């Protein structure tokens, strides 16, 4: 399965979500969100995807679990780890294609964990990269990631930054894929025109983005408002403090049907919803 195919599948799934094609109950979280159950049913195809995962930040791999995809002809199971990294990368590809400048060519990646490589692949699929800069608190992991991607990015300059501010300073696109509980970079380190994706935080106590960015961004897009208000720490905090109006949040499916202006700084915040798992699992069926 290729990243472009996954991106297109996820794009169509979010359009379908906005059109009312899916039954999508809220994600169930247990044990301080260390165990998650996600389910979705697609009425037009009578197909269902259910994913059960455990998340342990200190474990390698961080995510472990299983996806079950059922359809009228039968069902299959799949390892949740590669499916999750692929579908998370794919939704970032969809959002970046929608919100980043057409000539965006430099990516700053913050985080070098399991999600990192597919974040790069997704952005590269929609905005061919001339330069990639990676920052991770563990420099060895950042260097290992860069080396693993060199063959896939033969025409891209790849580098490791000493801190997050340095990494984002020249970026046209920023991808945050960490378990941070405080903002990763200073607002002033960003360019005036930049698109920022944040996929790492999935609990109210976690944050990757500075509040000022959410307060001043030209548009803030989320995968689903209900999910963001339940799980996205930076969105919850910004809405409660009044710097981000709830009615200004735009869901990805709606944005795809009515693209917002690419103005100044744009943000996509994702906590992950089950339609992404369904979209990629359906490609495997």
């Amino acid at each position: 399965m290729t990243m472009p195919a996954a991106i297109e599948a996820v794009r169509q799934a979010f359009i379908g979500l906005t059109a009312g094609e899916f039954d999508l109950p809220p994600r169930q979280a247990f044990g301080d969100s260390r165990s998650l159950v996600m389910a979705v049913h697609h009425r037009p195809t009578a197909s269902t995807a259910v994913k059960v995962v455990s998340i342990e930040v200190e474990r390698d791999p961080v995510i472990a679990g299983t996806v079950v995809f059922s359809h009228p002809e039968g069902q299959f199971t799949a390892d949740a780890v590669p499916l999750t990294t692929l579908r998370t990368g794919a939704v970032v590809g969809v959002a970046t294609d929608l919100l980043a400048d057409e000539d965006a060519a430099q990516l700053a990646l913050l985080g070098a964990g399991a999600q990192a490589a597919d974040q790069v692949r997704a952005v590269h699929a929609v905005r061919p990269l001339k330069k990639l800069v990676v920052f991770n608190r563990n420099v060895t992991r950042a260097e290992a990631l860069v080396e693993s991607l060199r063959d896939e990015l033969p025409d891209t300059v790849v580098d490791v930054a000493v801190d997050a501010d340095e990494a984002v300073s020249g970026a046209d696109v920023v991808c945050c894929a960490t378990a941070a509980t405080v903002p990763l970079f200073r607002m002033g380190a960003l360019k005036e025109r930049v698109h920022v994706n944040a996929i790492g935080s999935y609990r109210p106590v976690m944050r990757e983005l500075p509040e000022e960015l959410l307060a001043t961004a030209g548009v803030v897009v989320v995968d689903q408002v209900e999910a963001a208000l339940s799980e996205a720490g930076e969105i919850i905090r910004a809405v409660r403090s009044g710097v981000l109006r709830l009615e200004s949040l735009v869901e990805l499916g709606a944005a795809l049907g009515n693209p917002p202006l690419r103005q100044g700084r744009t943000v996509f915040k994702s906590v992950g919803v089950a339609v992404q798992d369904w979209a990629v699992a359906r490609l495997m069926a």
Side-chain angles (χ1 to χ4, degrees), residues 46-210:
S47 56
T48 301
V50 180
K51 183 170 75 174
V52 180
V53 298
S54 71
I55 302 174
E56 297 290 345
V57 174
E58 301 302 323
R59 183 181 63 197
D60 188 13
V62 172
I63 300 171
T66 301
V67 176
V68 179
F69 183 78
S70 300
H71 53 95
E73 288 74 41
Q75 73 173 36
F76 72 88
T77 61
D79 183 351
V81 176
L83 186 145
T84 299
T85 62
L86 180 61
R87 63 82 142 153
T88 306
V91 77
V92 162
V94 173
T96 301
D97 194 31
L98 177 71
L99 297 170
D101 284 345
E102 293 284 357
D103 61 352
Q106 181 167 330
L107 170 65
L109 174 65
L110 307 183
Q115 300 276 10
D118 275 338
Q119 294 290 296
V120 176
R121 293 177 183 122
V123 174
H124 186 57
V126 298
R127 295 293 186 274
L129 296 174
K130 295 180 181 178
K131 186 172 183 179
L132 166 66
V133 181
V134 178
F135 168 73
N136 192 73
R137 287 183 301 174
N138 183 325
V139 177
T140 301
R141 293 193 72 169
E143 292 173 342
L145 175 66
V146 164
E147 287 303 315
S148 72
L149 290 169
R150 285 190 189 277
D151 289 344
E152 295 183 49
L153 305 171
D155 301 317
T156 304
V157 176
V158 293
D159 199 5
V160 173
V162 298
D163 60 46
D165 282 359
E166 177 189 306
V168 305
S169 62
D172 306 309
V173 179
V174 176
C175 285
C176 305
T178 75
T181 56
V182 295
L184 296 170
F185 52 85
R186 293 181 304 104
M187 174 74 167
L190 293 172
K191 292 168 57 175
E192 289 299 317
R193 290 187 66 87
V194 61
H195 171 61
V196 180
N197 299 298
I199 61 93
S201 64
Y202 61 94
R203 297 166 58 206
V205 297
M206 301 171 74
R207 286 191 297 151
E208 295 182 296
L209 306 178

Side-chain angles (χ1 to χ4, degrees), residues 7 10-11 14 17 86-100 119 122-123 126 172-177 184-185 190 194-201 208-210 213-214 217-225 227-228 232 234-235 244 248-256 260-261 263-273 275-276:
I7 289 171
V10 169
R11 188 195 321 271
F14 272 94
L17 178 62
L86 180 61
R87 63 82 142 153
T88 306
V91 77
V92 162
V94 173
T96 301
D97 194 31
L98 177 71
L99 297 170
Q119 294 290 296
V123 174
V126 298
D172 306 309
V173 179
V174 176
C175 285
C176 305
L184 296 170
F185 52 85
L190 293 172
V194 61
H195 171 61
V196 180
N197 299 298
I199 61 93
S201 64
E208 295 182 296
L209 306 178
L213 173 60
L214 296 172
V219 62
V220 178
V221 176
V222 296
D223 42 17
Q224 186 189 45
V225 169
E234 47 268 277
I235 299 294
L244 177 64
S248 71
L249 292 174
V250 181
E251 291 193 334
L252 180 57
L256 289 168
L261 293 175
Q263 49 186 331
R265 295 165 174 144
T266 58
V267 174
F268 173 61
K269 172 58 196 170
S270 174
V271 294
V273 291
V275 295
Q276 298 164 236

